Amino acid sequence: MEKILVIDDDKMSRDVASQILTLANYEVLQADNGQSGLEIALQRRPDLIVCDIVMPVLDGYGVLRVAQKHPLLRHTPVIVCSGNADISEVRRAMDSGADDFIAKPFCTTDLLGAIESRLRKHQYAAALLPGDAPPRPALRGERWEDAVRQLVEGRNINSFGKRHLLYEYGCRVQHVYYVLSGKLRTFVRNDNGKDLVLELYGPGDFVGYEALLGEGIYRNTAETLEYAELAVIPREDMQQAIAANAEVQRAFFRMLSKSLERKQRYQLLLAYDSLRRKVAQALLRLERKFGDGQTPFRINLAREVMASIAGTATESLIRTLGDFRNEGLIDVEANGAIVVRDAKRLEAIHA
């Protein structure tokens, strides 16, 4: 069992982090200031340290300075956390030797993602001779398809059940996901707890790549709509692939451009179209994304999820689906699945 040392003078923050890590099957050590934290680190030799910056006796920067110089601690990963997440604070922490920075209050996926990533890199480096850690090989070939294949080869393939959250709004980017099977959505949630879908994803799509630009924060939440298999690509590897290959850069920005165009069209639909057209376009959006173009399109989603795609209340969606069924536009099966019977008439709905 891997040991994590949590150093934080705020008992509530320390306890929350410890509970999260204990549930994730880590052995947790605690200290309430930097000096006692270093004493525990030297005695117990943790595999990783999570350290607050502002603390009495010895602050987080002091912990980093000592850890960098001490032969028993210089290779121990240190993740610092702070309520002050402006760029100058992040830069100072990284320049002082921190392996990662997490803004407080942190979410579960943010904390666990950062720890798993740093532990994995530390274990890989420890298996090599000093100075022998090779960079990941540059991508060969110039085609986007070749780059994707090489990015996915040898990755961890993770399976996720229905309605599993991959990441949440506001978390720092740790991974980009490549969909091998299944359906996913990204969405935002308003102050009233209503969800609005931004994008739908299926096999062959990347999820979370937009957050690689800018400040590196997820600006949406990603959730599986059914059982899904995803290749998990570390952020650094995706960034390296984009930076090292001109064709990959062009394809990456094409993805961003197309995503932006879809979102703009969707916003116009929500702003100006009628309820009937919103629901009709939601069904057609699902068909275009997940249909095979050969057989009648069939989809079975929770009605609140469909309402988040249509941008309407769940009750309004259910009532409109009932109208569509009565008009022969769709069928609704006993298990709730919807079968599109007349896509042309759905497309023609404007009022």
Side-chain angles (χ1 to χ4, degrees):
M1 182 181 291
E2 290 159 319
K3 285 183 287 190
I4 309 294
L5 171 59
V6 178
I7 308 175
D8 197 322
D9 64 315
D10 183 81
K11 187 177 185 303
M12 181 176 292
S13 295
R14 196 168 67 242
D15 288 346
V16 168
S18 298
Q19 289 171 7
I20 292 171
L21 296 175
T22 299
L23 289 172
N25 204 33
Y26 293 109
E27 179 184 348
V28 182
L29 310 172
Q30 295 189 38
D32 59 6
N33 64 70
Q35 180 174 318
S36 61
L38 286 170
E39 292 172 356
I40 292 172
L42 290 171
Q43 294 170 1
R44 302 290 302 276
R45 303 292 300 278
D47 296 288
L48 183 142
I49 298 171
V50 177
C51 184
D52 189 25
I53 289 180
V54 180
M55 295 183 293
V57 186
L58 185 67
D59 66 9
Y61 294 117
V63 171
L64 288 169
R65 284 194 297 271
V66 174
Q68 288 286 306
K69 294 178 180 179
H70 200 289
L72 294 180
L73 299 178
R74 66 166 62 114
H75 297 301
T76 303
V78 180
I79 297 174
V80 297
C81 48
S82 173
N84 178 12
D86 63 50
I87 190 64
S88 60
E89 187 81 359
V90 176
R91 184 178 293 115
R92 182 184 175 190
M94 302 307 283
D95 289 345
S96 299
D99 292 272
D100 208 340
F101 184 101
I102 301 177
K104 295 172 69 176
F106 45 74
C107 58
T108 299
T109 53
D110 205 351
L111 178 63
L112 293 180
I115 288 174
E116 290 166 5
S117 175
R118 296 304 150 187
L119 285 176
R120 183 170 58 251
K121 289 187 175 183
H122 177 64
Q123 290 161 358
Y124 177 60
L128 301 167
L129 293 174
D132 282 349
R136 186 173 177 86
L139 295 173
R140 304 175 299 281
E142 297 183 351
R143 297 193 313 148
W144 171 243
E145 293 80 2
D146 295 333
V148 170
R149 186 185 67 254
Q150 293 171 50
L151 275 169
V152 173
E153 282 178 350
R155 299 294 179 189
N156 289 333
I157 306 300
N158 290 358
S159 299
F160 300 94
K162 183 177 181 180
R163 306 298 297 273
H164 177 88
L165 293 181
L166 293 180
Y167 58 78
E168 296 180 79
Y169 183 100
C171 291
R172 294 192 67 207
V173 179
Q174 300 296 333
H175 305 98
V176 173
Y177 301 88
Y178 183 76
V179 185
L180 297 170
S181 68
K183 301 179 180 69
L184 299 90
R185 67 168 180 163
T186 51
F187 65 93
V188 291
R189 181 167 290 160
N190 67 17
D191 293 338
N192 296 322
K194 300 293 186 181
D195 296 345
L196 179 65
V197 165
L198 301 177
E199 284 275 24
L200 298 168
Y201 303 85
D205 291 333
F206 285 96
V207 182
Y209 62 90
E210 302 98 328
L212 294 175
L213 298 179
E215 54 193 352
I217 301 294
Y218 292 118
R219 292 305 177 188
N220 53 54
T221 297
E223 180 188 56
T224 59
L225 297 177
E226 63 183 22
Y227 174 86
E229 291 185 330
L230 310 175
V232 182
I233 303 170
R235 172 192 60 196
E236 296 88 348
D237 289 353
M238 190 71 180
Q239 290 173 324
Q240 179 186 346
I242 295 168
N245 187 304
E247 176 57 29
V248 173
Q249 290 175 20
R250 287 191 289 270
F252 177 75
F253 285 108
R254 281 197 298 271
M255 283 197 303
L256 285 172
S257 177
K258 290 179 180 178
S259 176
L260 180 59
E261 289 175 7
R262 287 191 296 269
K263 289 173 183 175
Q264 288 174 336
R265 289 196 300 269
Y266 186 41
Q267 288 171 350
L268 287 172
L269 171 72
L270 296 179
Y272 298 111
D273 281 345
S274 66
L275 171 62
R276 281 173 59 85
R277 182 162 173 77
K278 288 178 183 179
V279 177
Q281 287 299 311
L283 291 170
L284 294 171
R285 184 182 182 188
L286 287 163
E287 182 180 35
R288 284 191 292 268
K289 184 63 185 178
F290 301 122
D292 60 14
Q294 303 296 321
T295 58
F297 177 64
R298 180 182 182 277
I299 189 77
N300 194 354
L301 293 177
R303 294 302 186 254
E304 65 267 21
V305 172
M306 292 196 66
S308 71
I309 298 171
T312 187
T314 303
E315 297 80 6
S316 300
L317 173 107
I318 293 172
R319 185 172 62 252
T320 306
L321 289 176
D323 292 341
F324 287 174
R325 179 184 57 191
N326 294 336
E327 295 167 26
L329 302 176
I330 64 172
D331 287 337
V332 180
E333 299 177 348
N335 64 355
I338 294 171
V339 181
V340 174
R341 291 301 182 192
D342 199 330
K344 289 183 179 179
R345 287 175 60 201
L346 285 172
E347 185 65 63
I349 290 176
H350 291 285

